[in-house]
Amino acid sequence: MKRLVLLGGGHAHVEVLRSLAIDPGARPEVTVVTPFPRLIYTGMVPGVIAGHYRLDECAIGIEALAQRAGATFVQSRGSLVNPGARDVMCADGGVIPYDVLSIDVGSQPVIGAARGVAQHAVAIRPLENLMKGWGSVLARTRAGGVSSISIVGGGAAGVELALAMDHRLRGERGDAAPHVRVITDTPVPVAEFSEGARRRLRRHLAKRNIGMHVSSTVVEVGHDHVRLDTGLEFASDATFWAAGAGAQPWIRESGFATDPRGFLLTNDRLQSVTYREVFGAGDCASLEGMPLAKAGVFAVRAAPLLATNLRAALGGGELAPLRTDPRYLALIATGPRHAVGTWGGFAWEGDWAWYWKDRIDRKFVERYAR
Ligand SMILES: Cc1cc2nc3c(=O)[nH]c(=O)nc-3n(C[C@H](O)[C@H](O)[C@H](O)COP(=O)(O)OP(=O)(O)OC[C@H]3O[C@@H](n4cnc5c(N)ncnc54)[C@H](O)[C@@H]3O)c2cc1C
């Protein structure tokens, strides 16, 4: 029996598991290795922080899904792959052999040379860490111990989290709510979006009096401050680190070809360009010649093809190429039940856009609950 190892319980792998649960086919021996028994769906995380959802409404049970797919669930993280011997080394010391390996482990925050991040900041990945960190900041705020919050990173995630936190804290604390600020080293916030979307989001940040500090590089985080490379210091009782999506270093250390940032380089069949029995999808992988944004939507779009190609690789069949549009729909919640949307160069907003997002997100999570 062929052995398939799914490393990471990300957005593409939950679909692979669902597909195996529906149609096991030649029933390979499947093992899923992932550090948490659930996948928190990022699209709904700002809604949890804003107070619109309970966390359990936004989580997909990977362990339960693995059980339905007849797969073995291993709660650990991959720390190295030995592609010559075809095995995965896990952080708990386990070694898992494979015939076909698929990697969907997402990304990790880029910390660079900044000091004190691990000790004093809440990294937004893994999301379990973000939710735990937010819970403790919320409790400290309720006890009156937080008067300023900094979010380092001005991409869509940082801005959406800032808006959600401000909404929640103002709702609970009124004028006593902490001041929220976003600090980013880019010259504009949400540099990945069109000018129209940026303008709308800036307006929401300004309306809430959320500080937006652009072209500002944080070099140190302390328990009560953040310091910029210019020497300027901000009081910060709670700091969230949302600075970019970086690659997990073991991908390169395992000997796989990577892009310059260390993400697994794949061909359009989602195979590693160096080891064809290794596949990759989502944030941890980069398609050769077709750079895509690190957005969950691409993991979701690649998922059905990944499921098909993994079956083909196990059974010796033909692999199909991925065809995808680099443009994608982004809906960014602005705190209350209101969202800014953007697609290509277009931007719009409204309460209806939030309900649209809500419908898409709930449908996604429900798909894996059945
Ligand atoms: C607050 C926030 C909001 C966002 N909103 C959106 C949005 O609305 N739309 C959108 O398209 N994108 C959004 N994104 C980006 C989106 O979250 C990512 O692009 C998406 O999660 C990528 O999916 P993935 O499957 O590649 O990785 P992930 O969803 O990160 O899944 C990776 C999985 O692998 C596991 N894992 C990690 N390391 C290891 C390891 N070493 N070994 C084994 N398992 C491991 C993790 O626990 C996790 O289960 C948002 C991001 C954030 C932070």
Side-chain angles (χ1 to χ4, degrees):
M1 196 189 280
K2 289 275 180 83
R3 296 158 305 181
L4 169 65
V5 173
L6 301 176
L7 187 52
H11 289 68
H13 279 174
V14 290
E15 180 59 25
V16 173
L17 287 171
R18 193 185 85 97
S19 146
L20 287 166
I22 293 169
D23 173 15
R27 209 174 253 299
E29 186 186 307
V30 184
T31 305
V32 192
V33 183
T34 195
F36 303 104
R38 63 182 180 184
L39 172 68
I40 297 175
Y41 178 53
T42 39
M44 294 171 87
V45 163
V48 176
I49 288 175
H52 304 313
Y53 305 119
R54 292 188 322 271
L55 184 55
D56 64 293
E57 289 178 280
C58 315
I60 295 167
I62 305 173
E63 192 172 3
L65 202 52
Q67 208 168 29
R68 275 159 42 205
T72 304
F73 178 81
V74 176
Q75 189 167 348
S76 185
R77 57 175 63 245
S79 54
L80 200 71
V81 177
N82 183 349
R86 294 193 181 176
D87 56 40
V88 177
M89 273 165 256
C90 298
D92 63 3
V95 177
I96 303 174
Y98 63 83
D99 296 299
V100 174
L101 170 68
S102 180
I103 306 177
D104 177 19
V105 295
S107 62
Q108 64 181 31
V110 178
I111 294 176
R115 293 182 302 273
V117 179
Q119 298 90 321
H120 301 296
V122 176
I124 67 160
R125 287 198 177 277
L127 290 174
E128 297 281 352
N129 186 62
L130 168 62
M131 295 322 305
K132 201 165 145 226
W134 166 247
S136 97
V137 170
L138 195 55
R140 277 168 53 212
T141 306
R142 285 171 178 157
V146 177
S147 48
S148 59
I149 296 179
S150 304
I151 290 140
V152 182
V159 166
E160 197 175 15
L161 288 174
L163 290 162
M165 287 177 192
D166 188 76
H167 173 75
R168 177 71 174 272
L169 297 173
R170 274 181 199 282
E172 288 199 11
R173 311 275 304 160
D175 289 344
H179 175 62
V180 177
R181 73 172 70 82
V182 178
I183 306 174
T184 182
D185 60 0
T186 52
V188 289
V190 283
E192 64 269 43
F193 290 158
S194 65
E195 178 50 37
R198 224 177 283 147
R199 206 173 38 243
R200 288 172 191 274
L201 287 167
R202 265 187 183 276
R203 207 181 308 136
H204 285 282
L205 291 165
K207 206 166 70 188
R208 293 188 161 275
N209 200 26
I210 294 176
M212 171 51 72
H213 305 269
V214 296
S215 303
S216 301
T217 304
V218 173
V219 291
E220 184 185 291
V221 181
H223 75 279
D224 61 355
H225 71 276
V226 291
R227 183 174 296 134
L228 306 186
D229 58 351
T230 55
L232 187 67
E233 222 176 84
F234 293 107
S236 183
D237 300 312
T239 302
F240 291 85
W241 197 266
Q248 300 195 20
W250 59 262
I251 296 177
R252 182 178 275 154
E253 288 158 12
S254 297
F256 296 120
T258 64
D259 76 359
R261 294 197 288 161
F263 293 108
L264 182 78
L265 200 61
T266 70
N267 61 20
D268 62 358
R269 268 76 177 164
L270 308 177
Q271 293 165 291
S272 155
V273 298
T274 34
Y275 295 93
R276 299 296 157 110
E277 67 284 3
V278 177
F279 291 71
D283 281 5
C284 69
S286 272
L287 275 171
E288 194 172 34
M290 201 208 293
L292 298 170
K294 298 294 177 201
V297 61
F298 293 111
V300 173
R301 281 192 206 164
L305 180 82
L306 180 67
T308 305
N309 281 357
L310 289 175
R311 282 179 199 271
L314 289 161
E318 277 280 298
L319 272 61
L322 180 73
R323 306 255 178 262
T324 193
D325 186 335
R327 290 170 299 182
Y328 64 102
L329 169 70
L331 292 164
I332 304 104
T334 61
R337 290 181 165 86
H338 184 95
V340 169
T342 177
W343 187 88
F346 302 101
W348 60 88
E349 70 180 290
D351 294 355
W352 61 271
W354 188 90
Y355 285 99
W356 182 21
K357 173 176 167 55
D358 176 61
R359 224 173 19 253
I360 295 171
D361 290 346
R362 283 184 190 274
K363 207 167 138 196
F364 182 83
V365 174
E366 273 163 23
R367 183 176 165 84
Y368 300 100
R370 282 196 292 269

